[in-house]
Amino acid sequence: MIQGDDTPDMDKGLSQRQLVHLMYGLFAVGILSAGIFGAAALAAVVLAYLKRGDMVGTVYAGHIDWIIRTFWWGLLWLTLSALGSLIFVGFVTGLVAVIWIIYRIAKGWLAHWAGETPLPGL
């Protein structure tokens, strides 16, 4: 690489910023496809766990934690909603869980675009 050149080396692969974008994108595809491409959401979480150690101390560490927490909490609520659908309540809670997951993906991804870390909370 030429001194002062901003183009990345081909050997380095994706930057941490690009990896976080990839994780959010995979997660969004997995959720918005109504589970048809659910493996994409799983791939996003696996990638987040694999890269978690590399991003400690960076602005991206908060995004990794955000993605992981969103996945596990979303999985919990979707599982409970599936069980609740046996008594006809789970459809409503399942819809609320999906809306919550989409909100979290959007909130985190928008914060990433802005160069910020998502704030803890909802």
Coordinates of all heavy atoms in Angstrom, one line a residue, residues 6-62:
D6 N -5.7 5.7 0.9 CA -6.8 5.3 1.8 C -7.4 4.0 1.3 O -8.4 3.5 1.9 CB -7.8 6.3 1.8 CG -7.4 7.5 2.7 OD1 -6.5 7.3 3.5 OD2 -7.9 8.6 2.5
T7 N -6.9 3.4 0.2 CA -7.5 2.1 -0.3 C -6.9 1.0 0.6 O -5.8 0.9 0.8 CB -7.2 1.9 -1.8 OG1 -5.7 1.9 -1.9 CG2 -7.8 3.0 -2.6
P8 N -7.8 0.1 1.0 CA -7.4 -1.0 1.8 C -6.5 -2.1 1.0 O -6.7 -2.2 -0.2 CB -8.7 -1.7 2.4 CG -9.7 -1.3 1.3 CD -9.2 0.0 0.7
D9 N -5.6 -2.7 1.7 CA -4.9 -3.8 1.1 C -5.9 -5.0 0.8 O -6.8 -5.2 1.6 CB -3.8 -4.3 2.0 CG -2.6 -3.4 2.1 OD1 -2.4 -2.7 1.1 OD2 -1.9 -3.5 3.0
M10 N -5.7 -5.7 -0.2 CA -6.5 -6.8 -0.6 C -6.3 -7.9 0.5 O -7.2 -8.7 0.7 CB -6.2 -7.3 -2.0 CG -6.6 -6.3 -3.1 SD -8.3 -5.7 -3.0 CE -9.1 -7.1 -3.6
D11 N -5.2 -8.0 1.1 CA -4.9 -9.1 2.0 C -5.6 -8.9 3.3 O -5.8 -9.9 4.1 CB -3.4 -9.2 2.3 CG -2.6 -9.5 1.1 OD1 -3.2 -10.1 0.1 OD2 -1.4 -9.2 1.0
K12 N -6.0 -7.7 3.7 CA -6.7 -7.4 5.0 C -8.1 -7.8 5.0 O -8.7 -8.0 6.1 CB -6.5 -5.9 5.3 CG -5.1 -5.5 5.6 CD -5.1 -4.1 6.1 CE -3.7 -3.6 6.4 NZ -3.7 -2.2 6.8
G13 N -8.8 -7.9 3.9 CA -10.2 -8.3 3.9 C -11.1 -7.1 4.3 O -10.7 -6.0 4.1
L14 N -12.2 -7.4 4.9 CA -13.2 -6.4 5.2 C -12.7 -5.6 6.5 O -12.1 -6.2 7.4 CB -14.5 -7.0 5.5 CG -15.3 -7.6 4.3 CD1 -16.5 -8.3 4.8 CD2 -15.5 -6.6 3.2
S15 N -13.0 -4.3 6.5 CA -12.7 -3.5 7.7 C -13.7 -3.9 8.8 O -14.7 -4.5 8.5 CB -12.7 -2.0 7.4 OG -14.0 -1.6 7.1
Q16 N -13.4 -3.4 10.0 CA -14.3 -3.7 11.1 C -15.7 -3.0 10.8 O -16.7 -3.5 11.1 CB -13.7 -3.2 12.4 CG -12.6 -4.1 12.9 CD -12.0 -3.6 14.2 OE1 -12.1 -2.4 14.6 NE2 -11.3 -4.5 14.9
R17 N -15.6 -1.8 10.3 CA -16.8 -1.1 9.9 C -17.7 -1.9 8.9 O -18.9 -2.0 9.1 CB -16.5 0.3 9.4 CG -17.7 1.1 9.0 CD -17.3 2.5 8.6 NE -18.4 3.3 8.1 CZ -19.3 3.9 8.8 NH1 -19.2 3.8 10.2 NH2 -20.3 4.6 8.3
Q18 N -17.0 -2.4 7.9 CA -17.7 -3.2 6.9 C -18.3 -4.5 7.5 O -19.4 -4.9 7.1 CB -16.8 -3.5 5.7 CG -16.4 -2.3 4.9 CD -15.3 -2.6 3.9 OE1 -14.4 -3.4 4.2 NE2 -15.3 -1.9 2.8
L19 N -17.6 -5.1 8.4 CA -18.1 -6.3 9.0 C -19.3 -6.0 9.8 O -20.3 -6.8 9.8 CB -17.0 -6.9 9.9 CG -15.9 -7.7 9.2 CD1 -14.8 -8.1 10.2 CD2 -16.5 -9.0 8.6
V20 N -19.4 -4.9 10.5 CA -20.6 -4.6 11.3 C -21.7 -4.3 10.4 O -22.9 -4.8 10.6 CB -20.3 -3.4 12.3 CG1 -21.6 -3.0 12.9 CG2 -19.3 -3.8 13.3
H21 N -21.5 -3.6 9.3 CA -22.5 -3.5 8.2 C -23.0 -4.8 7.7 O -24.2 -5.0 7.6 CB -22.0 -2.6 7.1 CG -22.1 -1.1 7.3 ND1 -23.2 -0.5 7.6 CD2 -21.1 -0.2 7.3 CE1 -22.9 0.8 7.7 NE2 -21.6 1.0 7.6
L22 N -22.1 -5.7 7.5 CA -22.4 -7.1 7.0 C -23.3 -7.8 8.0 O -24.3 -8.4 7.7 CB -21.2 -7.9 6.7 CG -21.4 -9.3 6.2 CD1 -22.1 -9.3 4.9 CD2 -20.0 -10.0 6.2
M23 N -23.0 -7.7 9.3 CA -23.7 -8.3 10.4 C -25.2 -7.8 10.4 O -26.1 -8.6 10.5 CB -23.0 -8.2 11.7 CG -21.8 -9.0 11.9 SD -21.0 -8.6 13.5 CE -19.3 -8.6 13.0
Y24 N -25.3 -6.5 10.4 CA -26.6 -5.9 10.4 C -27.4 -6.3 9.2 O -28.6 -6.6 9.2 CB -26.6 -4.3 10.5 CG -26.4 -3.8 11.9 CD1 -25.2 -3.1 12.2 CD2 -27.3 -4.0 12.9 CE1 -25.1 -2.5 13.5 CE2 -27.2 -3.5 14.2 CZ -26.0 -2.8 14.5 OH -25.9 -2.3 15.7
G25 N -26.8 -6.3 8.0 CA -27.4 -6.7 6.8 C -27.9 -8.1 6.8 O -29.0 -8.4 6.4
L26 N -27.0 -9.0 7.3 CA -27.4 -10.4 7.4 C -28.6 -10.6 8.3 O -29.5 -11.4 8.1 CB -26.2 -11.3 7.8 CG -25.1 -11.5 6.8 CD1 -23.9 -12.2 7.5 CD2 -25.7 -12.4 5.7
F27 N -28.5 -9.9 9.5 CA -29.6 -10.0 10.5 C -30.9 -9.5 9.9 O -31.9 -10.2 10.0 CB -29.2 -9.3 11.7 CG -29.9 -9.7 13.0 CD1 -29.4 -9.2 14.2 CD2 -30.9 -10.5 13.0 CE1 -30.0 -9.5 15.4 CE2 -31.6 -10.9 14.2 CZ -31.1 -10.4 15.4
A28 N -30.8 -8.4 9.2 CA -32.0 -7.8 8.6 C -32.6 -8.8 7.5 O -33.9 -9.0 7.5 CB -31.7 -6.5 8.0
V29 N -31.8 -9.4 6.7 CA -32.3 -10.3 5.7 C -33.0 -11.5 6.4 O -34.0 -12.0 6.0 CB -31.1 -10.8 4.8 CG1 -31.5 -12.0 4.0 CG2 -30.7 -9.7 3.9
G30 N -32.3 -12.0 7.4 CA -32.9 -13.2 8.1 C -34.3 -12.9 8.7 O -35.2 -13.7 8.7
I31 N -34.4 -11.7 9.3 CA -35.7 -11.3 9.9 C -36.8 -10.9 8.9 O -37.9 -11.3 8.9 CB -35.5 -10.2 11.0 CG1 -34.6 -10.7 12.1 CG2 -36.8 -9.7 11.5 CD1 -35.2 -11.9 12.9
L32 N -36.4 -10.0 8.0 CA -37.3 -9.5 7.0 C -37.8 -10.6 6.0 O -38.9 -10.4 5.4 CB -36.8 -8.3 6.3 CG -36.5 -7.1 7.2 CD1 -35.9 -6.0 6.4 CD2 -37.8 -6.6 7.9
S33 N -37.1 -11.7 5.9 CA -37.5 -12.7 5.0 C -38.5 -13.7 5.7 O -38.8 -14.7 5.1 CB -36.3 -13.5 4.4 OG -35.7 -14.2 5.5
A34 N -39.0 -13.3 6.8 CA -39.9 -14.1 7.6 C -39.3 -15.5 7.9 O -40.0 -16.5 8.0 CB -41.3 -14.2 6.9
G35 N -38.0 -15.5 8.1 CA -37.4 -16.8 8.5 C -36.9 -17.7 7.4 O -36.3 -18.7 7.6
I36 N -37.3 -17.3 6.1 CA -36.9 -18.1 5.0 C -35.4 -18.2 4.9 O -34.8 -19.2 4.6 CB -37.5 -17.6 3.7 CG1 -39.1 -17.8 3.8 CG2 -37.0 -18.3 2.5 CD1 -39.8 -17.1 2.6
F37 N -34.8 -17.0 5.1 CA -33.3 -16.9 5.1 C -32.8 -16.8 6.6 O -31.9 -16.0 6.9 CB -32.8 -15.8 4.3 CG -33.2 -15.9 2.8 CD1 -34.1 -15.1 2.3 CD2 -32.6 -16.9 2.0 CE1 -34.5 -15.2 0.9 CE2 -33.0 -17.0 0.7 CZ -33.9 -16.2 0.1
G38 N -33.4 -17.5 7.5 CA -33.1 -17.4 8.9 C -31.6 -17.8 9.2 O -31.0 -17.3 10.2
A39 N -31.0 -18.5 8.3 CA -29.6 -18.8 8.4 C -28.7 -17.6 8.4 O -27.7 -17.5 8.9 CB -29.1 -19.9 7.4
A40 N -29.2 -16.6 7.7 CA -28.5 -15.3 7.6 C -28.4 -14.6 9.0 O -27.4 -14.1 9.3 CB -29.2 -14.4 6.6
A41 N -29.5 -14.6 9.7 CA -29.5 -14.1 11.1 C -28.5 -14.9 12.0 O -27.8 -14.3 12.7 CB -30.9 -14.0 11.6
L42 N -28.6 -16.2 11.8 CA -27.7 -17.0 12.6 C -26.2 -16.7 12.2 O -25.3 -16.7 13.1 CB -28.0 -18.5 12.4 CG -27.3 -19.5 13.2 CD1 -27.5 -19.2 14.7 CD2 -27.7 -20.9 12.9
A43 N -26.0 -16.6 10.9 CA -24.6 -16.2 10.4 C -24.1 -14.9 11.0 O -23.0 -14.8 11.4 CB -24.6 -16.2 8.9
A44 N -25.0 -13.9 11.1 CA -24.7 -12.6 11.7 C -24.2 -12.8 13.1 O -23.2 -12.2 13.5 CB -25.9 -11.7 11.6
V45 N -24.9 -13.6 13.9 CA -24.6 -13.8 15.3 C -23.3 -14.6 15.4 O -22.5 -14.2 16.3 CB -25.8 -14.4 16.1 CG1 -25.4 -14.8 17.5 CG2 -26.9 -13.5 16.1
V46 N -23.1 -15.6 14.6 CA -21.9 -16.4 14.7 C -20.7 -15.4 14.3 O -19.7 -15.5 15.0 CB -21.9 -17.6 13.7 CG1 -20.6 -18.2 13.5 CG2 -22.9 -18.6 14.2
L47 N -20.8 -14.6 13.3 CA -19.8 -13.7 12.9 C -19.5 -12.7 14.1 O -18.4 -12.3 14.3 CB -20.2 -13.0 11.6 CG -19.2 -12.0 11.0 CD1 -17.9 -12.8 10.7 CD2 -19.8 -11.4 9.7
A48 N -20.6 -12.2 14.7 CA -20.4 -11.3 15.8 C -19.6 -12.0 17.0 O -18.7 -11.3 17.5 CB -21.8 -10.9 16.3
Y49 N -19.9 -13.2 17.3 CA -19.2 -13.9 18.3 C -17.7 -14.1 17.9 O -16.8 -14.0 18.7 CB -19.8 -15.2 18.7 CG -20.9 -15.2 19.7 CD1 -22.2 -15.4 19.4 CD2 -20.6 -14.8 21.0 CE1 -23.2 -15.4 20.3 CE2 -21.6 -14.7 22.0 CZ -22.9 -15.0 21.6 OH -23.9 -14.9 22.6
L50 N -17.5 -14.4 16.6 CA -16.1 -14.6 16.1 C -15.3 -13.4 16.2 O -14.1 -13.4 16.4 CB -16.1 -15.2 14.7 CG -16.6 -16.6 14.6 CD1 -16.7 -17.0 13.1 CD2 -15.7 -17.6 15.3
K51 N -15.9 -12.2 15.9 CA -15.2 -11.0 15.8 C -15.3 -10.1 17.1 O -14.6 -9.1 17.1 CB -15.7 -10.1 14.6 CG -15.4 -10.7 13.3 CD -13.9 -10.8 13.1 CE -13.6 -11.4 11.7 NZ -12.1 -11.5 11.6
R52 N -16.0 -10.6 18.1 CA -16.1 -9.9 19.3 C -14.8 -9.5 20.0 O -14.6 -8.4 20.4 CB -17.0 -10.7 20.3 CG -17.5 -10.0 21.5 CD -18.3 -10.9 22.3 NE -19.3 -10.2 23.1 CZ -20.1 -10.8 23.9 NH1 -20.1 -12.1 24.1 NH2 -21.0 -10.0 24.6
G53 N -13.9 -10.4 20.0 CA -12.6 -10.2 20.7 C -11.8 -9.2 19.9 O -11.0 -8.4 20.5
D54 N -11.9 -9.2 18.6 CA -11.1 -8.2 17.8 C -11.6 -6.8 17.9 O -10.8 -5.9 17.6 CB -11.2 -8.6 16.3 CG -10.6 -10.0 16.0 OD1 -9.8 -10.5 16.8 OD2 -10.9 -10.5 14.9
M55 N -12.8 -6.6 18.3 CA -13.4 -5.3 18.4 C -13.5 -4.7 19.8 O -14.1 -3.6 20.0 CB -14.7 -5.3 17.7 CG -14.6 -5.6 16.2 SD -16.2 -5.4 15.4 CE -15.8 -6.2 13.8
V56 N -12.9 -5.4 20.7 CA -12.9 -4.9 22.1 C -12.2 -3.5 22.1 O -11.1 -3.4 21.6 CB -12.3 -5.9 23.1 CG1 -12.1 -5.3 24.5 CG2 -13.1 -7.1 23.2
G57 N -12.8 -2.5 22.8 CA -12.1 -1.2 22.9 C -12.4 -0.3 21.7 O -11.9 0.8 21.7
T58 N -13.1 -0.8 20.7 CA -13.4 0.1 19.6 C -14.9 0.5 19.7 O -15.7 0.0 20.5 CB -13.2 -0.7 18.2 OG1 -14.2 -1.7 18.1 CG2 -11.8 -1.3 18.2
V59 N -15.3 1.5 18.8 CA -16.6 1.9 18.8 C -17.6 0.8 18.3 O -18.8 0.8 18.6 CB -16.8 3.2 17.8 CG1 -16.5 2.8 16.4 CG2 -18.1 3.8 18.0
Y60 N -17.0 -0.2 17.7 CA -17.8 -1.3 17.1 C -18.2 -2.4 18.2 O -19.1 -3.2 17.9 CB -17.1 -2.0 16.0 CG -16.7 -1.0 14.9 CD1 -15.3 -0.7 14.7 CD2 -17.6 -0.2 14.2 CE1 -14.9 0.2 13.7 CE2 -17.2 0.7 13.3 CZ -15.9 1.0 13.0 OH -15.5 1.9 12.1
A61 N -17.5 -2.3 19.3 CA -17.8 -3.3 20.4 C -19.2 -3.2 20.8 O -19.9 -4.2 21.1 CB -16.8 -3.1 21.5
G62 N -19.7 -2.0 21.0 CA -21.1 -1.8 21.4 C -22.1 -2.4 20.4 O -23.2 -2.9 20.7

